Amino acid sequence: MKRLALFAIALWAAGSTACDDTARGVEKDATEAEAEVDEELREFRRDSQAALDAMDRKLERLERSVQHASAEAKADTQAELLDLRRERDELARKLEDAGAKTKAELSQTERELDRRLAELGKDINHALDRAGDATEEALE
């Protein structure tokens, strides 16, 4: 009987230590996963900021490109430029405010912002093309 009691105590002690180790392991895994998501979010922000910086340069080029355009083309381009800059600034705010605790949240954030960045890039390129055409017409 004494042996059985000692065995039960040893088993209980080993089990409680294992539970503590398991709980600490789960906590450690969660902390590591959160740190990984944080690092991926920082990397995404850096890459997205680089894309926004490139768009800023294109917007500056768009603004310069209409200097020789007709008054009508200039007015149209200025209005479009204002809209494009507003969209760019909104994306920059969303990027700054972006947060994610899980891979799934990060993935959703990346998809949404990537889609909007691509659309904005396409809109800026179209505006540059139209401004180039308007400038060519004014010079002819």
Side-chain angles (χ1 to χ4, degrees), residues 29-44 98-112 114:
D29 289 347
T31 303
E32 288 173 359
E34 191 172 319
E36 185 178 328
V37 167
D38 287 346
E39 178 56 34
E40 287 181 29
L41 182 58
R42 279 191 297 276
E43 185 177 321
F44 175 72
K101 296 276 187 226
T102 65
K103 287 258 192 194
E105 289 174 0
L106 178 60
S107 185
Q108 175 63 32
T109 299
E110 287 176 337
R111 276 193 306 274
E112 177 189 347
D114 280 344

Side-chain angles (χ1 to χ4, degrees), residues 14-29:
S16 67
T17 303
C19 287
D20 287 345
D21 289 344
T22 301
R24 275 185 248 139
V26 169
E27 185 178 314
K28 180 182 175 192
D29 289 347

Side-chain angles (χ1 to χ4, degrees), residues 29-118:
D29 289 347
T31 303
E32 288 173 359
E34 191 172 319
E36 185 178 328
V37 167
D38 287 346
E39 178 56 34
E40 287 181 29
L41 182 58
R42 279 191 297 276
E43 185 177 321
F44 175 72
R45 281 185 176 139
R46 275 191 306 270
D47 294 345
S48 297
Q49 187 59 52
L52 287 172
D53 292 345
M55 288 178 193
D56 287 342
R57 290 188 295 277
K58 284 184 176 184
L59 289 170
E60 289 168 6
R61 197 170 90 213
L62 176 61
E63 193 166 27
R64 287 190 310 270
S65 74
V66 295
Q67 291 175 350
H68 301 290
S70 68
E72 182 182 334
K74 236 182 231 187
D76 290 345
T77 302
Q78 290 296 342
E80 187 173 23
L81 188 59
L82 185 61
D83 288 342
L84 291 169
R85 284 200 167 130
R86 280 188 194 135
E87 176 68 16
R88 183 257 178 245
D89 292 345
E90 182 183 333
L91 280 173
R93 278 190 301 280
K94 283 200 172 280
L95 181 62
E96 190 175 305
D97 295 341
K101 296 276 187 226
T102 65
K103 287 258 192 194
E105 289 174 0
L106 178 60
S107 185
Q108 175 63 32
T109 299
E110 287 176 337
R111 276 193 306 274
E112 177 189 347
L113 287 172
D114 280 344
R115 179 187 57 77
R116 291 188 62 191
L117 282 167

Side-chain angles (χ1 to χ4, degrees), residues 55 58 84 91 115-128:
M55 288 178 193
K58 284 184 176 184
L84 291 169
L91 280 173
R115 179 187 57 77
R116 291 188 62 191
L117 282 167
E119 286 176 17
L120 179 59
K122 208 178 334 177
D123 291 345
I124 290 171
N125 288 337
H126 286 2
L128 279 167

